[in-house]
Structure formats: C-alpha cells, structure tokens
Amino acid sequence: MPENVTGGDLYRLWRVSEVNLPRVADVFYDAGQALGRAAGGSTAFPARDSVYPGASFKVSALGTAWEDLRSTMQSIMIEMGDVVMDTARGVRVARELFDRVDQESGKTLLEAYMGPEGTSVTVAEPGGRAGHDYSEPASNPPVPGTPEHPVRPDSAPSR
C-alpha cells in the first residue's frame, strides 16, 4: 500500500468491493445458471438414447460426456463467483480496518494537540465519500432484485 493513503484511495477500494466485484461475480453466477438450464432434455446430445439406430443399448457416450462437461463447467462458474465475492469481502474488511485505525489515529492526534475536549475540529464520519453520486446506478452497489445483483444459484450442479 502506498505511503500516503487518501480518502480517494479508500473510495476506490469501496467501489471495488461494493460495486465492481459484485457485478463481476454476477456474470459468473449467471453463467452457472445458464449451464444449469442446459442440463438434460437436449435433442442434440441425449444422454439416454440408443448408441445407434435400433440398438438395445441405451447410453450415448456423447450425451454422457456433455453432461459431465456441463456439470464441471457449472461448478467452475459458481466457484469463481464465490471467489470474486470472497475477494470483495476481503477488500471491504481491509478498507474498514484501515478506516477504523485511521479514525482512531486522527482522534489521538486531535487529543494530543487540542486536548480531550478538542471540539473545534470535526472528524469525518467513517466511510464518508465526498463527491459520490448516489443517483448514478453504475457508481453504487447493485440493488437486490435487479439483474446485476449477484445471486448465487441455490443448488450445486448434479453429477
């Protein structure tokens, strides 16, 4: 981390953890859900079809291979979404920790120079983001219930 961390740096970390990474995770979760919808019922690669017309043996190697590949890819997409969300949590915790320590250090400095009753100088609220546009959707965390809000698929892929 740079020697002099500013509010702008903390704001960028807030944007990464609350805005950008959740949207990246949503892309992986959506891909996992799309792969889940591609399970079974496909006429292109039926898993339980005759190996050749008229055969009594009812397993298609191609259909079975597709199901295995699809399931593996779905697992990878969901795990990647989880990793991105874990990264967002890690960045959030680091930023909050730095902010808390910085606030405590600032209060200590104020008390050292102005005494414990030094009320003539106000300390900024933790997490304050001056100049942030709260009306701009792309600058704010994804809203629950909207398409860009990350939603982890409920079920793990079946194998």
Side-chain angles (χ1 to χ4, degrees):
M1 199 172 251
E3 244 180 65
N4 298 320
V5 176
T6 66
D9 297 323
L10 294 176
Y11 175 67
R12 280 191 287 280
L13 288 175
W14 175 83
R15 291 259 335 235
V16 166
S17 68
E18 302 296 327
V19 179
N20 300 338
L21 288 176
R23 285 191 166 97
V24 172
D26 183 55
V27 170
F28 286 108
Y29 288 152
D30 287 350
Q33 289 174 338
L35 285 164
R37 288 189 298 270
S42 171
T43 56
F45 305 120
R48 304 278 184 250
D49 201 6
S50 301
V51 175
Y52 55 88
S56 60
F57 192 65
K58 295 281 189 184
V59 176
S60 166
L62 186 57
T64 303
W66 162 245
E67 286 302 314
D68 290 344
L69 176 62
R70 180 205 57 80
S71 178
T72 300
M73 289 189 316
Q74 184 184 18
S75 293
I76 290 169
M77 292 297 121
I78 293 171
E79 287 175 24
M80 287 303 300
D82 290 347
V83 165
V84 172
M85 290 303 289
D86 287 344
T87 303
R89 279 187 286 278
V91 171
R92 181 181 311 118
V93 167
R95 181 191 51 81
E96 289 171 352
L97 179 63
F98 183 88
D99 194 34
R100 185 171 41 250
V101 169
D102 187 53
Q103 292 296 320
E104 291 169 6
S105 297
K107 288 176 186 175
T108 302
L109 283 172
L110 281 175
E111 288 176 5
Y113 288 103
M114 301 180 76
E117 299 297 321
T119 57
S120 62
V121 177
T122 57
V123 178
E125 286 294 314
R129 292 172 283 283
H132 178 74
D133 185 1
Y134 290 95
S135 65
E136 176 60 38
S139 296
N140 291 286
V143 178
T146 61
E148 54 276 336
H149 187 263
V151 178
R152 188 178 193 283
D154 292 333
S155 61
S158 58
R159 288 194 175 230

